Amino acid sequence: GPYDHAHPDSGKHLSLHLAVHFAEDASKGVMFYAVGGPGGAGTALAQSYLDSFDARLSKELDVVFFDQRGVGEQNGVDCPKAAIAFDSNPITLQQPDQAVAAAKGFVDACVKEMSHQDLLPYLGTGQAVQDLEDFRQAIGSPKVWFYGESYGTQFAQQYAARYPDAMDGLIIDGVVDLTRTAGEYYTEDTRVAESLLARLLAACDDEAHCRADMGASAASVYDDLAARLRQGPVAVNYPLGSGGFAQRPMNAAILEDDAFYALYGPDSRAGFLRALAASTHGNLVPLLSLGYENIGIDPETLDPKTDPTFYGGAYYAITCPDYDDAGHDPAARVRQILDEANAFAPQAPRFLRNVYAERLVCAFWPVKGAGDPPAPFKGGGYPTVVLNSDSDPATPISNGYAVFDRIPNATMVTMQGGPHVIWGRGNACPDKIVFGLMLDRRKPEKREQICKQDFLDPYVPLSSAANARDPLSLGEAVETELSQSPNLADWDGLDTIEVGCDFGGSVTANAAESGTEYAFKDCAWWPGLKVGGDGVDINAGDGDRPDGLTLRLEVSGAHQGTLTYRHDKTTDAMSVAGVYDGKDIAPPRPMP
């Protein structure tokens, strides 16, 4: 399509990259899938997203994923080095000049680092909406179901408002209310994040293992650590995959990133509490590892991690024109942003940066919007389903309610305790409601419906050398550390990865047929105890080989031994055999 749809005869064109999965059975229609971000690469995410949904989606619909302009291999704009420097910079309102300089420095560095700078004036959502409509017309103008998640709800609402005759129906999930200004959006987002973090920390106090691991109220642990880091970064002896260590800084910005991204779902909430608890035992490695994952840093090299699914430069290149117009010069906008942030500061003791950091970037962004925000979305003659969680930190549910209240024929599904974005996460509610409408043409029974899930996944207690008191407990502890490692959790499951163990040594993970192979080299997850050997985790799911984890461990240090630990995941039974502390391992016989 043309660079600029307002001037289609300019002679400059770009390509739209799409991925289409055709229905495996007789097709019941076409669905356009707008991913989040902005900056998410739909084509790179397509397969993993399809795999996560109920099979009905792939079997019964033709699903179209797309990379909007500014995203993807062909014309993506990105600046990961600049983004890492800015996201890990512990700016504060107490030093506003430094905060402003950091934002301006990021913009300069980002634009210099990115390719396709000539595209920047043409990356607003409105241009991308026209690209997708051009594609729809090129394939015969079928009516479409449109699903948008997070930022994709902005895209989907604009598309549906501009092309109502193209719509079979609309599903928006993790909703953005387009009538809100940037200031209104960020203050509400921060207010909700503050509330959710307080709720999460209180939930730890109500859970026996979490409370015991913290050793004090979780809120006091978090606030004490945050205050300590605001005084300056703390050096962490960070373990490398080579088995050695490197001195790395842990700072207030990384802790705040950890806390905010933890709020996205029940699993990340539990993982963050475990990492926070480790800090009370003098171990900041888990929090720093989570920070590297959240910011996109390779923990071995500190270089940006290769991520074909997200383009951080596009995040600002799309967001800033969408929200910031040319009616204010940068200096005036900066004063406004700082004044509003200072006024809001009493309501944001933990997440104040969220109120102003991205807005400062947009104040200096070289491309501004036209100053004509979309009209309030009011639906149409097609069905609309609004999905949101009441514990969504990124797109607070007040956005969803505001949009829903303007659409007379909409259905609202609220997930209590849920994550950011709720469809396709394996819960019958709301999945069956949405599939019933799209695939069976069954209208939802009520205009407003409630789903429920746990706010917090089960807390996994910290393991320690005490878990090695017997060989079965040691095997369980090693399995726990493998499952709880932030670096292994972020692994793509393809290329070999070497991960340092918290107190020295390493574990290597390789993709194996139907699972993962592990190799341990003097791996010390706890002081004074090392593990060598290997293991394999089979997740075939086909019955040919029993699923489960087998570890062949060589133990040295506080305990000595050679043992085989087996966790059969079909039956959930565990067993252990070998020699431990000079004795043959007898089958465990638990007693009351």
Side-chain angles (χ1 to χ4, degrees):
Y3 261 46
D4 184 1
H5 286 286
H7 300 91
D9 300 325
S10 65
K12 299 180 71 176
H13 292 78
L14 54 80
S15 299
L16 178 65
H17 191 204
L18 304 106
V20 182
H21 184 282
F22 293 102
E24 296 163 12
D25 298 337
S27 176
K28 293 183 178 179
V30 177
M31 187 181 86
F32 285 173
Y33 195 126
V35 301
T43 61
L45 291 164
Q47 192 58 57
S48 64
Y49 277 24
L50 287 172
D51 289 345
S52 70
F53 275 87
D54 185 283
R56 289 196 71 185
L57 183 66
S58 298
K59 288 183 177 180
E60 300 180 41
L61 283 178
D62 301 318
V63 186
V64 178
F65 294 86
F66 58 94
D67 295 341
Q68 71 185 79
R69 50 176 59 205
V71 173
E73 293 182 5
Q74 292 182 314
N75 51 50
V77 296
D78 205 6
C79 55
K81 291 181 180 178
I84 285 173
F86 183 64
D87 291 345
S88 60
N89 188 337
I91 60 176
T92 70
L93 279 186
Q94 283 68 46
Q95 297 175 308
D97 291 345
Q98 292 182 17
V100 172
K104 186 177 187 304
F106 164 70
V107 172
D108 293 341
C110 181
V111 174
K112 183 178 180 180
E113 183 181 347
M114 68 175 53
S115 303
H116 310 295
Q117 296 174 10
D118 58 326
L119 269 177
L120 288 179
Y122 314 111
L123 296 182
T125 299
Q127 296 271 8
V129 164
Q130 183 64 59
D131 289 336
L132 192 60
E133 173 60 10
D134 288 350
F135 166 75
R136 189 187 72 89
Q137 292 181 16
I139 61 172
S141 304
K143 283 187 176 291
V144 299
W145 288 94
F146 208 124
Y147 171 78
E149 60 179 17
S150 193
Y151 159 75
T153 68
Q154 294 178 224
F155 194 112
Q157 289 174 74
Q158 291 188 52
Y159 183 94
R162 192 184 300 181
Y163 304 111
D165 293 339
M167 302 297 295
D168 245 345
L170 177 68
I171 299 96
I172 45 178
D173 189 355
V175 179
V176 177
D177 177 8
L178 300 179
T179 69
R180 295 185 176 182
T181 65
E184 291 168 340
Y185 180 85
Y186 283 109
T187 53
E188 173 67 359
D189 184 63
T190 303
R191 186 182 295 109
V192 168
E194 291 280 353
S195 175
L196 291 175
L197 180 57
R199 178 181 174 185
L200 175 60
L201 297 172
C204 177
D205 297 343
D206 292 336
E207 206 282 339
H209 292 298
C210 190
R211 183 174 65 249
D213 281 349
M214 288 288 178
S217 75
S220 66
V221 169
Y222 180 86
D223 290 336
D224 289 349
L225 178 57
R228 177 186 173 196
L229 294 176
R230 282 194 292 270
Q231 298 302 311
V234 172
V236 176
N237 206 28
Y238 192 82
L240 302 176
S242 64
F245 293 90
Q247 288 289 303
R248 300 281 182 76
M250 173 71 186
N251 67 29
I254 295 174
L255 177 63
E256 192 171 320
D257 282 333
D258 283 349
F260 183 77
Y261 286 111
L263 302 176
Y264 271 57
D267 54 345
S268 54
R269 294 166 193 154
F272 170 73
L273 289 178
R274 191 174 192 269
L276 182 63
S279 74
T280 69
H281 300 267
N283 184 9
L284 287 170
V285 170
L287 281 174
L288 189 52
S289 294
L290 277 178
Y292 289 158
E293 177 185 344
N294 291 326
I295 299 173
I297 298 174
D298 185 313
E300 296 294 313
T301 66
L302 298 186
D303 292 330
K305 294 185 73 170
T306 301
D307 184 2
T309 69
F310 184 72
Y311 289 73
Y315 176 89
Y316 289 101
I318 297 168
T319 295
C320 294
D322 276 3
Y323 278 95
D324 218 355
D325 62 62
H328 296 270
D329 66 84
R333 181 68 88 193
V334 165
R335 286 193 299 271
Q336 174 195 357
I337 292 167
L338 294 179
D339 287 347
E340 291 176 358
N342 277 300
F344 190 76
Q347 301 181 59
R350 292 167 173 152
F351 287 126
L352 185 56
R353 176 190 175 117
N354 283 20
V355 175
Y356 64 88
E358 291 185 3
R359 294 186 67 198
L360 287 177
V361 169
C362 287
F364 293 108
W365 196 256
V367 177
K368 306 298 181 185
D372 53 348
F377 180 68
K378 298 181 179 180
Y382 46 83
T384 297
V385 180
V386 179
L387 307 174
N388 238 113
S389 164
D390 69 349
S391 46
D392 182 343
T395 51
I397 196 168
S398 59
N399 286 257
Y401 290 142
V403 173
F404 169 71
D405 286 340
R406 290 194 292 266
I407 306 174
N409 64 338
T411 296
M412 178 91 188
V413 180
T414 299
M415 176 68 80
Q416 292 184 321
H420 171 54
V421 179
I422 65 174
W423 187 44
R425 299 301 186 267
N427 295 308
C429 178
D431 287 12
K432 290 188 176 181
I433 296 172
V434 176
F435 280 125
L437 174 64
M438 284 199 305
L439 303 179
D440 304 324
R441 304 289 170 157
R442 185 174 64 247
K443 292 184 178 180
E445 292 183 3
K446 301 291 183 181
R447 178 163 156 80
E448 295 188 55
Q449 300 182 78
I450 301 295
C451 304
K452 292 186 177 183
Q453 70 177 102
D454 291 336
F455 174 73
L456 183 66
D457 273 2
Y459 177 80
V460 178
L462 295 174
S463 59
S464 69
N467 291 102
R469 64 188 180 275
D470 65 76
L472 181 65
S473 296
L474 174 64
E476 290 182 90
V478 172
E479 181 177 12
T480 294
E481 294 308 316
L482 289 173
S483 68
Q484 295 298 307
S485 165
N487 294 324
L488 289 176
D490 195 41
W491 178 45
D492 61 11
L494 300 175
D495 298 325
T496 298
I497 184 174
E498 293 179 314
V499 175
C501 303
D502 287 4
F503 296 95
S506 64
V507 56
T508 300
N510 281 296
E513 184 180 357
S514 302
T516 304
E517 293 177 344
Y518 297 105
F520 307 95
K521 184 177 181 181
D522 295 329
C523 177
W525 274 305
W526 318 279
L529 190 68
K530 297 180 179 179
V531 173
D534 56 39
V536 61
D537 192 0
I538 301 298
N539 292 291
D542 56 13
D544 292 340
R545 288 185 294 172
D547 286 359
L549 176 68
T550 301
L551 300 174
R552 294 170 288 271
L553 304 178
E554 300 167 3
V555 186
S556 60
H559 295 275
Q560 309 280 328
T562 302
L563 60 93
T564 298
Y565 166 83
R566 170 71 182 161
H567 182 180
D568 187 322
K569 295 181 182 177
T570 303
T571 63
D572 209 26
M574 293 168 285
S575 61
V576 65
V579 176
Y580 201 65
D581 287 340
K583 299 179 180 179
D584 289 340
I585 297 172
R589 291 187 175 182
M591 296 291 289

